[in-house]
Amino acid sequence: MENKAVLTVKDLSVSFHMYDRGLEQYDLSVISNLNLDVRSGEIVAVAGSSGSGKSLLAHAVMGLLPGNAKIRGEICYRGELLTQRRKEILRGKELALVPQSVSFLDPLMRVGSQVRGGRKDEGSRRAQKEIFKRFRLEEQVEKLYPFQLSGGMARRVLVSTAVLSGAEVILADEPTPGLDLEMAVEALNVFRELADEGKAVVLITHDIDLAFHVADRIAVFYAGTTVEVARASDFLEGKEALRHPYSKALWEALPQNGFRPIPGFQPYAKALPKGCLFGPRCPHKTEGCEREIPMRELRGGYVRCIHAD
């Protein structure tokens, strides 16, 4: 029996209504035609440079975008469209976010109560103590307020909150910065265990070489869109197993693979090129790359490139 996607993002576009000089108004498109899905029991790691839309995706799914944001496309949970109202109902219950910023912690609530979601039963307290012990958070930390935590402690508290939420879908937005290698690996192992228990996990991370070892698939973002979705094993196998030129360049830029950069830079959202957004930096660019390029299935993955084979 096919394991259907729990969370599906189809042709998602996000823009912000902005004001320019002289109060001229315009819409700044920051995500366009983005596609992603995650199934029960699976970790999908999202990789890409800063500004590629990774955190915006998480905030769009959770319904946390600001009032000047406009969304097109579909975000579905268990096959049902996620309206803003439904996102608010499911948020913190069936959909959980490990935010990138520690400012998401309530400054007026003690840490332990936040992690338990306000629950006071003995089972919740015991679970909170167990996860704190695993993340090397001393017992008295539960009585502290967020301002009393170091950055690394706050990060571990945020991960603990998602673990104890019981959510079916967990979006972890950069959960490992500020953690030493041992603790970063432990945090990723916790997400792997949650997936093995049947949860669906979207892992947004710059620690891509660590993610390879816990994720099932890797979604590569560039300039606000998905350019490839590949098996994690493809990245471990090597560059030739990948499909998109940007994915190959990302692989080569890893320290263990030579740390080789490519010329150019990711385009600014206000000046996106026609067709393939990676075109201006791609050695394989042709006239056909200036047309709209859809995602297509290739060698067990998906790619947005007419030259991939």
Side-chain angles (χ1 to χ4, degrees):
M1 183 175 179
E2 184 181 357
N3 186 6
K4 293 184 178 180
V6 177
L7 179 70
T8 305
V9 179
K10 183 178 180 182
D11 295 327
L12 178 69
S13 295
V14 177
S15 61
F16 293 99
H17 194 65
M18 310 286 284
Y19 286 87
D20 209 339
R21 295 176 181 176
L23 297 182
E24 179 183 348
Q25 301 182 44
Y26 66 97
D27 289 330
L28 181 67
S29 179
V30 291
I31 285 180
S32 56
N33 304 117
L34 190 150
N35 295 276
L36 185 75
D37 66 82
V38 59
R39 303 173 180 85
S40 295
E42 180 183 45
I43 295 180
V44 176
V46 178
S49 59
S50 297
S52 59
K54 303 187 299 295
S55 294
L56 280 173
L57 166 67
H59 287 202
V61 171
M62 297 297 293
L64 297 173
L65 294 175
N68 66 329
K70 295 182 179 179
I71 299 179
R72 297 191 307 277
E74 294 182 354
I75 302 176
C76 295
Y77 172 64
R78 297 196 180 280
E80 187 175 340
L81 189 67
L82 275 178
T83 62
Q84 180 63 26
R85 175 60 178 159
R86 191 158 181 253
K87 291 174 187 176
E88 292 170 358
I89 292 172
L90 297 178
R91 187 192 303 156
K93 301 179 181 68
E94 295 190 45
L95 305 176
L97 173 68
V98 180
Q100 185 174 155
S101 173
V102 297
S103 64
F104 275 75
L105 289 170
D106 188 336
L108 303 178
M109 184 182 291
R110 294 185 191 274
V111 165
S113 183
Q114 292 193 58
V115 170
R116 296 191 301 271
R119 298 183 295 273
K120 298 181 180 180
D121 61 280
E122 188 57 36
S124 297
R125 290 184 182 277
R126 186 166 51 251
Q128 175 246 301
K129 290 180 184 297
E130 288 175 359
I131 194 65
F132 272 23
K133 184 177 181 180
R134 184 166 183 180
F135 284 142
R136 297 205 305 265
L137 292 167
E138 296 183 4
E139 191 169 339
Q140 61 265 30
V141 170
E142 67 176 285
K143 299 178 182 179
L144 300 180
Y145 290 95
F147 78 90
Q148 296 174 296
L149 305 176
S150 68
M153 290 169 67
R155 187 74 58 191
R156 284 174 277 167
V157 165
L158 287 169
V159 174
S160 300
T161 303
V163 171
L164 266 63
S165 70
E168 293 300 314
V169 176
I170 299 171
L171 298 104
D173 188 3
E174 297 290 358
T176 55
L179 304 181
D180 60 42
L181 179 59
E182 182 182 354
M183 191 50 59
V185 170
E186 183 68 17
L188 295 182
N189 285 338
V190 167
F191 290 122
R192 181 67 262 170
E193 291 170 12
L194 289 171
D196 291 341
E197 292 170 4
K199 309 299 185 184
V201 180
V202 177
L203 175 64
I204 298 169
T205 182
H206 279 102
D207 291 332
I208 185 171
D209 48 348
L210 292 180
F212 295 156
H213 299 282
V214 296
D216 298 284
R217 293 185 293 150
I218 310 289
V220 181
F221 286 12
Y222 184 80
T225 196
T226 322
V227 295
E228 180 169 354
V229 180
R231 296 177 295 260
S233 59
D234 291 345
F235 278 86
L236 293 172
E237 184 177 337
K239 184 176 73 170
E240 297 308 315
L242 301 174
R243 300 151 189 80
H244 196 279
Y246 178 65
S247 302
K248 296 174 184 286
L250 192 64
W251 186 91
E252 288 191 323
L254 294 173
Q256 65 268 33
N257 298 329
F259 216 0
R260 292 185 291 271
I262 59 173
F265 50 87
Q266 184 173 260
Y268 174 49
K270 201 175 180 182
L272 295 176
K274 293 181 180 179
C276 177
L277 300 180
F278 187 64
R281 305 175 71 184
C282 184
H284 309 294
K285 183 184 177 184
T286 62
E287 187 176 334
C289 299
E290 296 184 357
R291 298 192 296 266
E292 183 177 347
I293 301 173
M295 291 284 283
R296 62 186 175 96
E297 190 171 359
L298 179 67
R299 291 191 280 114
Y302 293 87
V303 65
R304 194 186 300 274
C305 177
I306 61 173
H307 298 296
D309 55 24

